[in-house]
Amino acid sequence: MDPKEKRVYKIVLTGGPCGGKTTGQARLSTFFENLGWKVFRVPETATVLLSGGIKFSDLTEEEAFKFQENLLRTMLQIENTFFELADSSTRNCLIICDRGAMDASAFISKEKWEKMMSSNGWNSVELRDNRYNQIIHMVTAANGAEDFYTTEDHACRSEGMELARELDYKAAAAWVGHPYFDVVDNSTEFEKKIRRMIASICQKMCIDTGDRLLTNARKRKFLVKAPLPDDSVFPPFQDFEVVHNYLINSHPSMQARLRKRGQKGHWSYTHTIRKPRLHGQIVEVKTQLTHRDYINLLTQKDDAHFTIYKKRRCFLDNNQYFQLDIYKDPCHPRCVGLILLETYSALEDGRLEECLPKFLQLACEVTGDPAYSMYNLSLREEWSSSSKFCHALKVPEMAEATNGITKLISGTTLANNGSNHSLQNHLSSKVTLNGKCK
């Protein structure tokens, strides 16, 4: 994307009661206004309507359904008003939505939600994935910061702590499946929680904030052993079909790729440029595409790479948002049976390992291992003879992940041995550390 091109970035701030949404919205607005952006704040539609005297306890089941339907219609129209203002503005615009379209699904049954979608010509891919650039879920203080939970400062809030936790989980579950969904928990003090929220947005937008918002959050990746457990063992999840294609790129230190991601015949399309490291961080610039743009860019497909096909399963567990990528045929033999689990977390000192899904068999952590980079996995050539193999992901700490769950045996990573066998068959090349790598 041309850095001089005007940008419109749409985010949803959601979460349970007393999670910091109001403070977060104010701080986020100030931060971006100081950067010279125009900030639009979309009010919470439910609060506007409920403050007019509506009580759910007074509504019949049919009245409650119609109320939710009209609430969603009203929300979409209010949002569209702000979206159009942003599109016509000559300035960069940040649009902060106080809750979004999918939040309504947390308060009705799945069957009624599907009925509402059908009768209005809506679908979840459009309302969840394509409508907003990023979702931020601020976890309620009732989960992890109980001493700070209060209902005193909100006229429409009366939830007890147990109900607050339940509403928080439902609000988060409603957004499971969005490609850029960040859960901001209470693992730090409140000021750092707010900074982590702002930093997660700046990171996705590739805005360099220097040391103003220092956090240690990063992507973590784990190799999962097959077979996977039955679907009934998983918490509520969303499955997507995902197709990746790498594009021809004249710049040797950059990577360009396309992603097609969808459910039930509805798709979203993304173009990503991966740039060299900046201040020790990998920078990825992502642009949402129309179907026509996607088809046009697909003509630039790099034939040195296989098309990557995955099933991606998204779910929440222990306040962490996980993506489980299951590689599918057709693929290079090295990808047969490959399953990778990813999450984005600031937890260190073994705390993340305690939150990893217990129902999955995790073989080892592969964060930073170029053998598990999708770019390298998709190469048609064997790694031992390929000039295209990318070592840029390798970091000094990779050889000894002291806070992770494995150590790698020197000289046995797949990047070095050039094997064309399935990666799953090379679990024996990992050394057990404290019995955690099986």
Side-chain angles (χ1 to χ4, degrees):
M1 178 184 291
D2 184 345
K4 296 181 181 179
E5 182 181 343
K6 190 200 82 173
R7 301 181 67 181
V8 175
Y9 199 78
K10 307 165 188 173
I11 69 166
V12 171
L13 274 183
T14 185
C18 197
K21 284 198 300 109
T22 303
T23 301
Q25 183 177 133
R27 289 281 299 276
L28 185 61
S29 298
T30 300
F31 185 89
F32 272 84
E33 285 166 352
N34 289 342
L35 294 178
W37 286 56
K38 174 64 178 175
V39 179
F40 291 107
R41 293 170 291 278
V42 183
E44 183 179 10
T45 308
T47 299
V48 174
L49 297 181
L50 292 173
S51 62
I54 298 172
K55 292 185 178 180
F56 267 103
S57 58
D58 295 338
L59 303 180
T60 66
E61 186 175 347
E62 181 60 26
E63 287 173 336
F65 175 82
K66 293 305 295 183
F67 173 77
Q68 289 289 354
E69 185 174 41
N70 286 320
L71 185 153
L72 184 50
R73 288 173 176 168
T74 304
M75 176 189 293
L76 296 178
Q77 186 55 56
I78 292 174
E79 288 180 354
N80 288 341
T81 301
F82 285 92
F83 292 174
E84 289 180 12
L85 284 171
D87 287 337
S88 64
S89 174
T90 58
R91 298 168 59 187
N92 289 332
C93 293
L94 177 72
I95 303 174
I96 308 171
C97 299
D98 191 342
R99 301 197 182 278
M102 294 302 294
D103 281 283
S105 69
F107 301 98
I108 59 175
S109 67
K110 182 179 180 180
E111 292 73 24
K112 289 184 177 179
W113 177 253
E114 293 295 338
K115 176 184 175 183
M116 188 185 298
M117 294 291 100
S118 177
S119 61
N120 287 277
W122 298 328
N123 69 79
S124 293
V125 170
E126 286 299 323
L127 292 185
R128 180 191 58 222
D129 303 346
N130 293 338
R131 188 170 179 84
Y132 314 99
N133 297 102
Q134 187 176 357
I135 312 301
I136 302 292
H137 179 88
M138 305 290 283
V139 174
T140 175
N143 187 350
E146 289 82 358
D147 290 344
F148 298 93
Y149 181 76
T150 178
T151 61
E152 294 177 357
D153 301 323
H154 199 297
C156 296
R157 180 183 298 158
S158 59
E159 302 87 353
M161 207 168 292
E162 284 301 321
L163 180 56
R165 295 189 188 106
E166 180 183 344
L167 293 175
D168 184 87
Y169 179 79
K170 287 182 176 180
W175 292 100
V176 166
H178 191 282
Y180 308 112
F181 177 36
D182 291 277
V183 178
V184 185
D185 63 17
N186 297 301
S187 58
T188 60
E189 62 187 33
F190 186 70
E191 172 60 26
K192 288 183 178 179
K193 179 179 183 179
I194 296 297
R195 296 213 315 263
R196 283 160 50 212
M197 179 270 291
I198 299 174
S200 70
I201 295 169
C202 292
Q203 189 269 336
K204 292 290 192 305
M205 298 176 69
C206 297
I207 293 176
D208 182 12
T209 60
D211 60 358
R212 284 179 290 174
L213 298 170
L214 280 179
T215 67
N216 58 350
R218 61 192 178 101
K219 182 190 286 187
R220 304 279 292 274
K221 185 184 294 186
F222 301 87
L223 181 63
V224 179
K225 295 177 69 173
L228 291 175
D230 188 79
D231 288 355
S232 62
V233 176
F234 282 81
F237 61 83
Q238 294 285 336
D239 280 348
F240 297 86
E241 296 300 319
V242 182
V243 181
H244 293 276
N245 280 288
Y246 281 89
L247 304 180
I248 296 171
N249 186 19
S250 59
H251 199 298
S253 63
M254 292 188 182
Q255 300 171 9
R257 67 178 185 267
L258 293 177
R259 186 188 68 193
K260 173 183 174 181
R261 178 182 187 270
Q263 287 177 318
K264 301 177 182 178
H266 301 286
W267 301 91
S268 61
Y269 307 93
T270 307
H271 176 258
T272 300
I273 296 178
R274 187 184 183 97
K275 296 184 176 182
R277 286 181 178 270
L278 179 66
H279 301 306
Q281 296 184 15
I282 294 173
V283 176
E284 290 191 340
V285 180
K286 299 178 184 290
T287 306
Q288 284 186 300
L289 301 174
T290 64
H291 177 256
R292 176 179 292 182
D293 290 337
Y294 173 80
I295 294 300
N296 289 338
L297 284 170
L298 201 55
T299 62
Q300 302 174 29
K301 176 183 173 183
D302 188 348
D303 290 331
H305 293 262
F306 281 101
T307 298
I308 291 284
Y309 298 92
K310 304 174 183 175
K311 180 170 82 170
R312 174 166 292 172
R313 175 162 294 183
C314 305
F315 60 92
L316 281 165
D317 194 46
N318 294 317
N319 270 340
Q320 288 290 135
Y321 185 56
F322 294 99
Q323 292 188 161
L324 187 70
D325 280 352
I326 304 159
Y327 282 70
K328 298 171 59 178
D329 290 330
C331 62
H332 190 285
R334 68 173 74 98
C335 297
V336 173
L338 181 62
I339 308 172
L340 295 173
L341 180 73
E342 293 185 1
T343 190
Y344 191 83
S345 178
L347 296 176
E348 297 288 354
D349 301 321
R351 288 188 295 160
L352 175 61
E353 285 68 28
E354 294 175 1
C355 296
L356 294 174
K358 301 297 189 291
F359 52 86
L360 295 177
Q361 298 183 71
L362 300 183
C364 49
E365 181 169 6
V366 294
T367 303
D369 188 340
Y372 295 90
S373 156
M374 188 171 65
Y375 179 88
N376 292 331
L377 289 169
S378 66
L379 286 171
R380 289 184 180 274
E381 297 178 334
E382 299 306 327
W383 293 340
S384 56
S385 59
S386 176
S387 61
K388 292 181 175 291
F389 186 91
C390 179
H391 296 270
L393 291 177
K394 187 174 288 187
V395 292
E397 294 82 2
M398 191 188 83
E400 184 168 347
T402 55
N403 289 331
I405 60 175
T406 67
K407 290 182 180 178
L408 304 184
I409 297 179
S410 176
T412 62
T413 61
L414 297 180
N416 295 328
N417 65 26
S419 171
N420 62 355
H421 295 295
S422 165
L423 294 181
Q424 285 284 353
N425 294 334
H426 286 266
L427 293 179
S428 58
S429 69
K430 306 294 183 182
V431 63
T432 300
L433 176 63
N434 296 330
K436 293 183 179 179
C437 187
K438 300 179 181 178

